[in-house]
Amino acid sequence: MQEDNIKVISRCRPLNQREIQTGAHSIIYCNKNLAQVSVKLPDRKEQTSEGQIEGEQTRSFQFDAVYGEDATNQELFNESFRPIVQTVVEGQNGCIFAYGQTGAGKTFTMSGNGTQPGCMPSSFNYIFEYISQQPSTVSFSIKASYIEIYNECITDLISQQTDLRIRQKPEQAIYIENLSEHSCGTKEDLQKILEKGYQNQCIKITQMGQCSARSHTMFIIKLEKTEVVNGEKVCKLSTLKMIDLAGSERPEISRFKEPMMINKSLASLYVVVSKLASQAPHIPYRDSQLTRLMQDALDGNSKTVLMALISPVSQNYEEILSTLRFADQVKKIPNQPLVKVESKQLAANQECPEQK
Ligand SMILES: Nc1ncnc2c1ncn2[C@@H]1O[C@H](COP(=O)(O)OP(=O)(O)OP(=O)(O)O)[C@@H](O)[C@H]1O
């Protein structure tokens, strides 16, 4: 049977100090062997947006993998992210995106910290380790870009140019006009781009009073793999997108008073996912910047992993369920045959075509 191109995993973070001090307890049970996450109803019955919850003790969701509070970033990388990065170094597109409410662990999982490197630094390691093991007939060129989408506005986190436009040439993939791309020859170069983008984002947040939890960030790596076979060059171009989405809490319970516009991208993502899941004839990718940039991740042009991050405490019960329901919808997207990234055959002295 063909493997699913979109995989869904869930991770629950441990209780934090504040939660432990206030006597909170976890309402999440992760069964790694069954890839099942169960949510216990809080002790007192609560009025949810769906009405009074009646009698039901737990709700369970089945995904491709689930990770509980003891899981390490390394474990997630080895089991769930490395296969995507491997796909990319072998010449197909890949996408890893983190979804969940503010504080659920998206940035911890994507970026990590000093002791537990996250998905992004581990990917940088893996890419350059892979490259170092290739024969001399294979060469790579790697370029990185880093963007933020906030309030439907795309900002280049490296050049700091703002209000960038998404463009598409006939018969070509979409691209971001004037996005700066930075050649990276080592994993440290990639790490520097990540850190610079993060710093620039922090400066922007301070200047504009914007909240980081409300913006989406996307780290984009473009790989160009050139192999000489019988005197002919074969060129493969692939892209890895690593996306840390804004906190998914709904506006009415958000701590931040903001116009609906800020959540437009996430609202569009829900619609796109539910239309894909129900096999609707038209998928409104064009409704937001985020969904336009994620189209290839969802339409069979990429190997993709959605990571649904949840907090363990009962106060977040509604958001936990809403995150898991979103993940469940993504799981229902029917598998589409992976669109093979074309290999271009070139004469030995020819350059690979410009990658958009
Ligand atoms: N699996 C984990 N193990 C240990 N600590 C974690 C884990 N997940 C998250 N944390 C800690 O919880 C806090 C919130 O996590 P994080 O900043 O990653 O949340 P987030 O979902 O990215 O929130 P935001 O939407 O605000 O960016 C951080 O202090 C982080 O170190």
Side-chain angles (χ1 to χ4, degrees):
M1 208 174 75
Q2 202 203 345
E3 234 200 25
D4 286 350
N5 292 329
I6 302 181
K7 295 216 186 268
V8 176
I9 67 171
S10 171
R11 180 185 205 181
C12 178
R13 68 159 169 80
L15 292 164
N16 60 35
Q17 278 309 316
R18 189 177 39 78
E19 289 161 346
I20 292 169
Q21 276 160 13
T22 56
H25 61 275
S26 174
I27 58 164
I28 305 296
Y29 176 68
C30 294
N31 186 327
K32 193 169 177 192
N33 292 334
L34 295 179
Q36 195 177 67
V37 55
S38 303
V39 187
K40 268 188 283 173
L41 284 177
D43 288 343
R44 64 189 165 81
K45 291 196 171 171
E46 285 179 0
Q47 191 71 26
T48 69
S49 55
E50 292 178 339
Q52 181 78 25
I53 302 159
E54 286 171 11
E56 197 182 349
Q57 293 307 303
T58 58
R59 285 195 195 172
S60 297
F61 296 81
Q62 185 88 36
F63 298 124
D64 294 293
V66 305
Y67 296 92
E69 56 180 61
D70 296 332
T72 61
N73 279 346
Q74 192 61 45
E75 193 179 334
L76 265 86
F77 182 77
N78 290 343
E79 295 172 5
S80 293
F81 305 141
R82 187 160 55 193
I84 302 292
V85 188
Q86 188 176 341
T87 301
V88 176
V89 289
E90 286 169 356
Q92 295 292 324
N93 296 324
C95 176
I96 297 166
F97 70 110
Y99 178 96
Q101 78 178 106
T102 298
K106 298 181 295 295
T107 306
F108 180 81
T109 308
M110 293 307 284
S111 303
N113 59 22
T115 49
Q116 280 208 51
C119 167
M120 294 199 272
S122 296
S123 303
F124 304 163
N125 262 341
Y126 181 80
I127 290 169
F128 281 96
E129 218 176 271
Y130 178 91
I131 291 174
S132 71
Q133 289 163 5
Q134 297 306 297
S136 59
T137 47
V138 180
S139 64
F140 281 86
S141 146
I142 292 179
K143 288 180 186 156
S145 309
Y146 199 10
I147 60 160
E148 178 195 58
I149 306 172
Y150 178 71
N151 215 357
E152 285 304 291
C153 169
I154 302 176
T155 299
D156 184 326
L157 284 175
I158 307 302
S159 72
Q160 303 193 60
Q161 197 177 338
T162 196
D163 222 355
L164 299 180
R165 302 273 165 223
I166 297 174
R167 303 269 184 229
Q168 183 163 28
K169 289 187 180 154
E171 306 292 314
Q172 280 192 18
I174 61 160
Y175 65 97
I176 304 171
E177 192 174 50
N178 296 326
L179 177 65
S180 67
E181 292 182 338
H182 305 269
S183 288
C184 294
T186 61
K187 63 181 181 190
E188 287 80 13
D189 292 343
L190 282 169
Q191 189 64 31
K192 274 185 205 150
I193 299 291
L194 181 64
E195 281 161 19
K196 186 166 181 197
Y198 179 71
Q199 276 164 15
N200 287 341
Q201 191 193 20
C202 291
I203 295 168
K204 186 166 164 260
I205 288 164
T206 314
Q207 285 169 349
M208 295 174 62
Q210 165 200 330
C211 175
S212 71
R214 310 310 305 158
S215 69
H216 314 285
T217 58
M218 191 180 292
F219 194 89
I220 305 164
I221 302 178
K222 287 183 175 177
L223 267 99
E224 184 183 295
K225 180 178 184 179
T226 312
E227 194 166 6
V228 180
V229 184
N230 299 330
E232 276 202 337
K233 273 208 294 195
V234 179
C235 181
K236 278 187 182 169
L237 307 170
S238 54
T239 301
L240 174 62
K241 291 178 180 167
M242 292 186 277
I243 307 170
D244 189 345
L245 291 173
S248 58
E249 51 277 354
R250 278 153 290 163
E252 66 273 20
I253 60 167
S254 166
R255 286 181 283 126
F256 310 101
K257 279 199 165 24
E258 290 163 319
M260 283 299 288
M261 185 72 165
I262 290 173
N263 257 330
K264 184 172 179 222
S265 284
L266 278 183
S268 302
L269 184 61
Y270 303 140
V271 174
V272 161
V273 162
S274 63
K275 297 236 174 219
L276 280 167
S278 63
Q279 302 188 50
H282 171 70
I283 311 295
Y285 291 112
R286 298 182 73 89
D287 279 2
S288 76
Q289 309 284 34
L290 178 71
T291 46
R292 287 194 80 186
L293 292 175
M294 286 186 71
Q295 176 168 351
D296 55 358
L298 298 167
D299 72 357
N301 242 308
S302 161
K303 285 264 183 196
T304 296
V305 167
L306 156 69
M307 183 179 28
L309 279 312
I310 51 175
S311 121
V313 291
S314 57
Q315 289 92 317
N316 294 326
Y317 176 68
E318 282 211 51
E319 287 307 331
I320 294 167
L321 272 188
S322 136
T323 297
L324 295 174
R325 283 198 195 105
F326 173 76
D328 199 44
Q329 281 289 301
V330 175
K331 190 78 205 99
K332 288 193 177 120
I333 297 176
N335 200 30
Q336 304 175 54
L338 189 66
V339 180
K340 288 256 180 245
V341 173
E342 252 180 76
S343 302
K344 303 229 170 357
Q345 295 227 330
L346 307 166
N349 58 354
Q350 241 181 316
E351 293 292 317
C352 277
E354 179 71 8
Q355 187 179 10
K356 278 294 178 195

